Amino acid sequence: MKQPSMGAVAAEANVATSTVSRFLAGNLRVAPETESRIREAIDRLGYRHMVARDPLGVGERHEPRLVIIVVSDLGNAYYAAFAEHSARGLEAAGYSPVTLSIVANAIDPLAGVRALLGAGVIGAISIGGAQTSELRDLLELRGVPLITVEEEPQARASAGVDLDNYSGARQVITYLTRLGHSEIAFISGPRDLAPVAARRRGYEDGLRAAGIEIAHQFDLEGECSEDFGFAALTQLLSFEGERPTAVFVAADEIAVGVLNAASQIQLSVPGELSVVGFDDIPAASHVTPRLTTVHTPLAKLAEAATSSLLSALAAGRAEGGPVVVPVTLVVRESTAALT
């Protein structure tokens, strides 16, 4: 006879799976009425809590407290760093984090998530926006709380954490216009990603506030990679008419490609073109010239996401509005006043 799952017990008791898991592990106190419902559900279903003996004889070892960190691309330095920070915080809190990347074009992008749910996942953090609605629906069916990071506000249906991407973009445009630039291009990753959309709004609103007409030929989007940045600068310089004197690149990985292209064609940065990035990845301070960029405090972002998830696990569900983490412009050598 098939062993009933912890999720089945949770459904029978009308509580979240994470509540049952933490209660049985001795990590959560619940109201007497809730405890009674859980124990009655266990008895009715014949559920047996999996407990293994510690091989060293120190004590009993309960089911792993698995938490998944879902990213859209582990090859992206920004997402990989976020996952690392989050994993450290979860481990310090006594959880077992597992990081996985969603392959958007796969036959079943959520196959890895489904497999881990079968192993007893009790919580999740997601960043990058890939398959967010499908992931949320899947986790809700299992009663697993989800904390989303940088999801489009109007699409948000769960607690989450956001960077102040819009403010960061406005800081960039204010800075560039004060340097005398008015022909400012915008290069970004896919516009359907929430952080990109917010940064584009900040770029456009910043130009409008400065009385500058938006030149759509100066707005290019593509994949978040150095290769795209290299190709984008080549494309920008091929347009007839006025060339941009500055470019706001919505991701540092793309900006590194822009700088590489400028170096190859001997375009002086910042003498002939000022370049500003966003994220402040480690490479930003190692390229030549060092990149002016918007610093996103990844450690604080991960800490806020981890804290929100721990609160959700304690409450049995994710609730409350998003936490917004501020960002700041860091001026280095890739920008200069227009002469």
Side-chain angles (χ1 to χ4, degrees):
M1 183 176 178
K2 185 179 179 181
Q3 157 79 357
S5 68
M6 186 179 292
V9 172
E12 183 76 10
N14 195 29
V15 295
T17 303
S18 57
T19 299
V20 176
S21 175
R22 300 183 68 226
F23 170 72
L24 292 177
N27 297 315
L28 178 67
R29 287 187 176 184
V30 296
E33 179 184 353
T34 303
E35 179 177 349
S36 177
R37 291 206 313 272
I38 293 173
R39 295 195 182 281
E40 287 174 5
I42 289 171
D43 290 340
R44 279 195 300 272
L45 297 175
Y47 176 77
R48 290 190 305 162
H49 185 43
M50 292 163 45
V51 180
R53 288 286 175 183
D54 186 323
L56 299 178
V58 175
E60 292 184 330
R61 179 171 56 84
H62 295 273
E63 288 178 325
R65 303 167 73 192
L66 289 177
V67 172
I68 53 175
I69 304 168
V70 183
V71 302
S72 60
D73 180 9
L74 267 177
N76 181 292
Y78 178 80
Y79 294 144
F82 172 84
E84 182 179 352
H85 284 299
S86 299
R88 288 176 182 172
L90 290 166
E91 287 174 347
Y95 291 87
S96 300
V98 177
T99 301
L100 70 159
S101 181
I102 287 182
V103 182
N105 296 325
I107 295 174
D108 182 4
L110 298 178
V113 176
R114 297 180 204 280
L116 287 169
L117 283 172
V121 169
I122 60 172
I125 295 172
S126 171
I127 185 171
Q131 306 291 318
T132 302
S133 60
E134 294 88 345
L135 177 64
R136 182 188 299 111
D137 292 343
L138 176 61
L139 295 178
E140 283 183 353
L141 285 173
R142 303 294 187 96
V144 176
L146 168 67
I147 302 300
T148 56
V149 180
E150 295 196 272
E151 182 183 10
E152 192 68 18
Q154 56 264 36
R156 187 179 294 289
S158 58
V161 179
D162 293 325
L163 283 171
D164 198 347
N165 290 292
Y166 177 84
S167 169
R170 289 296 300 265
Q171 291 177 53
V172 170
I173 301 307
T174 298
Y175 168 68
L176 289 175
T177 54
R178 285 177 178 172
L179 290 178
H181 296 281
S182 58
E183 303 292 337
I184 305 171
F186 182 73
I187 301 175
S188 74
R191 67 177 64 223
D192 59 342
L193 294 180
V196 173
R199 294 170 193 183
R200 175 173 275 103
R201 285 197 303 273
Y203 161 75
E204 293 179 346
D205 287 353
L207 291 180
R208 292 189 187 99
I212 300 171
E213 184 178 350
I214 298 171
H216 293 289
Q217 72 270 24
F218 286 171
D219 186 344
L220 301 178
E221 68 168 308
E223 64 179 15
C224 189
S225 69
E226 292 182 26
D227 287 345
F228 168 62
F230 194 101
L233 181 62
T234 303
Q235 183 176 346
L236 275 178
L237 299 180
S238 70
F239 292 134
E240 295 182 1
E242 290 290 331
R243 285 185 173 185
T245 61
V247 57
F248 170 30
V249 189
D252 284 351
E253 287 207 29
I254 302 174
V256 170
V258 170
L259 292 177
N260 289 339
S263 176
Q264 182 163 314
I265 63 175
Q266 298 184 329
L267 179 71
S268 173
V269 175
E272 296 174 90
L273 182 73
S274 286
V275 180
V276 183
F278 206 114
D279 291 333
D280 200 16
I281 63 175
S285 58
H286 298 150
V287 292
T288 303
R290 296 192 310 149
L291 182 65
T292 295
T293 186
V294 176
H295 175 69
T296 58
L298 269 180
K300 289 184 179 179
L301 187 70
E303 180 182 352
T306 301
S307 177
S308 295
L309 181 59
L310 295 179
S311 297
L313 290 171
R317 63 184 182 279
E319 56 187 0
V323 176
V324 179
V325 178
V327 298
T328 53
L329 180 67
V330 178
V331 177
R332 297 193 179 106
E333 290 82 41
S334 65
T335 47
L338 187 65
T339 55

